[in-house]
Amino acid sequence: MAKKKIKPGSNTIALNKRARHEYFIEEEFEAGLALQGWEVKSMRAGKANISDSYVIFQHGEAYLFGANIQPLNVASTHVVCDPTRTRKLLLNKRELDNLMGKAQRDGFTVVTLSLYWKGAWAKVKVGLAKGKKLHDKRDSIKDREWQVAKQRIMKNAQRE
């Protein structure tokens, strides 16, 4: 559900579609990831899932929690592969302070939106989010369905 089929040559590794459904995204930040070698190989093979992941703050640093990167079968035997380990996010001090302050004071949640390649580097897009209520989710669904119906009407009107 939250994982997208990857096209050859696409930079996107994994998407978290549920995040935009569950939360209002106020701000987006791009962060690097501190990864091990087997994780990079697995991500290149498309074996990453970020649907249940979010960001936690410990000792003044940000960590990605709940992301699942499945190891490849051909991974080395002497390396212990933990698919759900906590990974450090690489952010500027200003961005880190901004995220931490809003998450602790203002009641925001920091969720992951997408995982992608930028050049040779793996990046994660995190969003500063507020939770949606049930009626907000219904409004979002109604708006999305109206946009689809409107496009269909406009397409049929142009044909006539």
Side-chain angles (χ1 to χ4, degrees):
M1 171 164 102
K3 191 172 177 184
K4 175 185 154 185
K5 284 286 185 191
I6 306 168
K7 295 178 240 162
S10 173
N11 289 339
T12 304
I13 301 166
L15 286 176
N16 188 358
K17 292 181 181 178
R18 198 172 74 185
R20 295 203 187 269
H21 179 72
E22 299 281 332
Y23 300 101
F24 291 114
I25 307 298
E26 302 292 327
E27 268 185 273
E28 294 181 359
F29 295 91
E30 180 181 76
L33 281 169
L35 297 170
Q36 295 176 349
W38 67 269
E39 292 172 325
V40 175
K41 289 181 180 181
S42 294
M43 285 169 49
R44 291 216 184 273
K47 295 188 176 272
N49 186 0
I50 58 168
S51 61
D52 295 330
S53 62
Y54 56 93
V55 176
I56 57 173
F57 299 101
Q58 292 177 343
H59 309 295
E61 294 183 348
Y63 294 92
L64 182 62
F65 184 79
N68 192 349
I69 300 175
Q70 287 298 321
L72 296 173
N73 294 338
V74 294
S76 181
T77 56
H78 66 278
V79 176
V80 178
C81 301
D82 181 14
T84 59
R85 77 177 185 91
T86 305
R87 294 162 182 92
K88 185 177 177 182
L89 292 180
L90 307 173
L91 289 160
N92 292 337
K93 185 69 172 162
R94 187 178 338 113
E95 292 174 335
L96 189 59
D97 291 341
N98 186 9
L99 279 173
M100 231 185 314
K102 288 188 177 180
Q104 291 171 351
R105 282 192 310 271
D106 300 337
F108 283 98
T109 303
V110 184
V111 294
T112 56
L113 302 175
S114 64
L115 185 63
Y116 57 94
W117 297 109
K118 189 170 184 181
W121 306 102
K123 300 286 185 175
V124 63
K125 185 169 285 194
V126 295
L128 207 52
K130 274 249 196 246
K132 284 186 182 178
K133 303 279 190 251
L134 183 60
H135 60 87
D136 294 327
K137 293 178 190 176
R138 289 179 183 157
D139 288 342
S140 297
I141 292 170
K142 189 193 295 186
D143 289 341
R144 184 172 58 236
E145 288 175 354
W146 166 241
Q147 293 299 324
V148 170
K150 188 169 66 170
Q151 291 296 326
R152 190 175 298 129
I153 292 167
M154 293 297 289
K155 185 177 179 182
N156 289 336
Q158 288 177 352
R159 287 184 179 173
E160 294 174 357

